[in-house]
Amino acid sequence: MVRKRLAPEAAPDEPYLQIGEVAERTGVTQRTLRFYEEKGLLKPPTRMEGGFRLYSETDIQRLERIKRLKQLLGFPLAEIKEMVDAEEVKLQLKAEYRPEAALSQKKAQLLKAIEVTERQYDLIRQKVADLAEMQSKLEERLATFGDWMEQLERQLTANRKVKTKV
Amino acid sequence: MVRKRLAPEAAPDEPYLQIGEVAERTGVTQRTLRFYEEKGLLKPPTRMEGGFRLYSETDIQRLERIKRLKQLLGFPLAEIKEMVDAEEVKLQLKAEYRPEAALSQKKAQLLKAIEVTERQYDLIRQKVADLAEMQSKLEERLATFGDWMEQLERQLTANRKVKTKV
DNA sequence: TCTAACCTTGACGTTGAGGTAAGTTATCGC
DNA sequence: GCGATAACTTACCTCAACGTCAAGGTTAGA
């Protein structure tokens, strides 16, 4: 687990990371990284001559988004993939905002992105609402527990008094 | 899938349901019901003479809570079990609030219930916060998309004008 | 009492999400 | 160019959470 070799510093502009570094920094295993790649959740990163994977900062950001969605929503990876893909459309659009051609095609893409995002949004809104309700119920319950505890305490001290009296 | 026989109407007070009815009404499969029982998520229901399972209304309520937690949190069943069990402690305490003996024992139980509930509460609070943040980000994104769409529309109509002119 | 519909247990299969091990190849510092 | 360390692929394993028969017992209604 000790990392002796330095990260490849050859890259001048962007700092590329090998799989071990990425694993360490993000807390996922190398296996998981390869697995996600296999499943299309992460797109194949660039490689060194010898085939070693080199992850860019954007790759890592995507991974973090995946982690987050997975943890927060608990959905199967296939759905997570869809969601992250939808985000990517946004970046794509922003990137190639130049070419004047194919405007209507761009519109179609944008429409789709909007649709997906809206679905996502509704889903999350619903979940927030449900969870909030659950939260308030738990609050109530904790209050009730507090009351009971007080009562119990009173009864206990009362008992002690009786016993010491006898 | 067609249900021809009526539910057992023999029970005068509480309406007990057979496994098929429960499955139909709750949307889970019979297999899942047996599986949850096996895993301790549902306690063994009462049975008819011949061994047919008979679920009470409270059994079903417990099942619904399980479904809800599973859907909202996406946790493994083992954890869901813990959570639902914690709720049950509450009911237990309420039920046997009579016996004056073993007060301190009751206190211990209550303390544990409080602890578990607090853990649950914190967890959910955190989740709500995270999801709310994600929600607002999605909102932003949708707004941005809207702007882009407007721009696109403008460009498109401009294009059309040019073409018709030529 | 007979039968259609329902239920029982048992056992094996499947899918998702990785873990683990083996054998081989790369990289890097010396 | 060598040795240590890290990565690569391939393949099999695991665990959770059910699905899917198969073979037989139960129940209610005619």
Side-chain angles (χ1 to χ4, degrees), chain B residues 20-54:
Chain B
E21 287 276 339
V22 175
E24 203 167 318
R25 284 188 22 175
T26 63
V28 312
T29 68
Q30 305 189 11
R31 176 62 168 100
T32 298
L33 284 167
R34 300 199 187 98
F35 180 71
Y36 284 1
E37 183 182 336
E38 203 181 305
K39 290 283 161 180
L41 276 142
L42 296 172
K43 49 184 176 165
T46 57
R47 305 251 186 163
M48 295 159 116
E49 317 261 302
F52 284 25
R53 268 164 261 246
L54 284 179

Side-chain angles (χ1 to χ4, degrees), chain B residues 91-108:
Chain B
L91 299 178
Q92 264 183 319
L93 277 169
K94 199 188 276 180
E96 35 161 319
Y97 211 76
R98 325 265 76 206
E100 291 300 328
L103 274 181
S104 60
Q105 189 191 339
K106 212 170 284 187
K107 183 181 164 188

Side-chain angles (χ1 to χ4, degrees), chain A:
Chain A
M1 284 296 160
V2 184
R3 203 139 266 280
K4 292 206 174 147
R5 207 155 30 152
L6 298 180
E9 321 229 18
D13 43 351
E14 254 209 279
Y16 281 91
L17 296 184
Q18 285 186 222
I19 195 170
E21 288 275 337
V22 174
E24 204 168 318
R25 284 188 21 174
T26 63
V28 311
T29 67
Q30 304 189 11
R31 175 61 166 103
T32 298
L33 283 167
R34 300 200 185 97
F35 181 71
Y36 283 1
E37 183 181 335
E38 202 181 307
K39 291 282 161 179
L41 276 142
L42 296 172
K43 48 183 178 173
T46 57
R47 304 252 188 164
M48 296 160 110
E49 316 264 301
F52 284 24
R53 268 163 262 247
L54 285 179
Y55 292 91
S56 73
E57 211 47 51
T58 48
D59 288 334
I60 293 176
Q61 281 171 28
R62 175 151 177 153
L63 175 59
E64 296 287 5
R65 285 205 300 278
I66 294 173
K67 270 182 61 186
R68 199 172 166 69
L69 284 173
K70 197 163 130 37
Q71 200 244 318
L72 258 73
L73 304 182
F75 288 177
L77 290 183
E79 292 191 43
I80 303 286
K81 173 175 155 57
E82 266 194 54
M83 306 182 91
V84 189
D85 281 350
E87 295 194 34
E88 224 72 341
V89 171
K90 166 185 147 192
L91 299 178
Q92 264 184 317
L93 277 170
K94 198 187 277 179
E96 34 161 317
Y97 211 76
R98 323 265 78 202
E100 292 300 329
L103 275 181
S104 61
Q105 189 190 340
K106 212 170 282 186
K107 183 180 164 188
Q109 277 209 330
L110 184 51
L111 273 176
K112 193 178 175 187
I114 289 180
E115 189 207 313
V116 176
T117 307
E118 255 167 3
R119 274 224 321 271
Q120 224 180 112
Y121 177 72
D122 287 349
L123 201 151
I124 297 206
R125 241 171 44 89
Q126 187 55 49
K127 215 161 199 184
V128 168
D130 290 355
L131 279 171
E133 195 198 321
M134 183 175 285
Q135 184 184 341
S136 75
K137 279 200 180 154
L138 284 178
E139 236 158 74
E140 266 180 54
R141 182 174 310 159
L142 279 173
T144 312
F145 280 175
D147 290 354
W148 291 4
M149 186 55 100
E150 260 185 60
Q151 285 197 353
L152 255 177
E153 290 290 1
R154 270 206 299 279
Q155 292 186 349
L156 274 169
T157 55
N159 261 17
R160 261 197 288 278
K161 271 180 194 163
V162 169
K163 269 188 186 161
T164 38
K165 245 187 185 173
V166 174

Side-chain angles (χ1 to χ4, degrees), chain B residues 3-136:
Chain B
R3 204 136 264 284
K4 292 207 174 148
R5 206 155 31 150
L6 298 181
E9 321 227 19
D13 43 351
E14 253 206 280
Y16 282 91
L17 297 185
Q18 286 185 218
I19 196 170
E21 287 276 339
V22 175
E24 203 167 318
R25 284 188 22 175
T26 63
V28 312
T29 68
Q30 305 189 11
R31 176 62 168 100
T32 298
L33 284 167
R34 300 199 187 98
F35 180 71
Y36 284 1
E37 183 182 336
E38 203 181 305
K39 290 283 161 180
L41 276 142
L42 296 172
K43 49 184 176 165
T46 57
R47 305 251 186 163
M48 295 159 116
E49 317 261 302
F52 284 25
R53 268 164 261 246
L54 284 179
Y55 292 90
S56 71
E57 212 47 51
T58 48
D59 288 334
I60 294 176
Q61 282 171 28
R62 175 151 178 153
L63 175 61
E64 296 287 5
R65 284 204 300 279
I66 293 173
K67 269 182 60 185
R68 199 172 166 68
L69 284 173
K70 197 163 132 35
Q71 200 245 319
L72 258 71
L73 303 182
F75 289 175
L77 289 182
E79 292 191 44
I80 304 285
K81 173 176 156 55
E82 265 195 54
M83 306 183 92
V84 189
D85 281 350
E87 294 194 35
E88 225 70 343
V89 170
K90 168 184 147 195
L91 299 178
Q92 264 183 319
L93 277 169
K94 199 188 276 180
E96 35 161 319
Y97 211 76
R98 325 265 76 206
E100 291 300 328
L103 274 181
S104 60
Q105 189 191 339
K106 212 170 284 187
K107 183 181 164 188
Q109 278 210 330
L110 184 50
L111 274 175
K112 194 178 174 189
I114 289 181
E115 190 207 311
V116 176
T117 308
E118 256 166 4
R119 274 222 322 270
Q120 224 179 109
Y121 177 72
D122 288 349
L123 202 152
I124 297 205
R125 240 171 45 90
Q126 186 56 50
K127 212 155 203 190
V128 168
D130 290 356
L131 279 172
E133 196 198 320
M134 182 173 285
Q135 184 185 339
S136 75

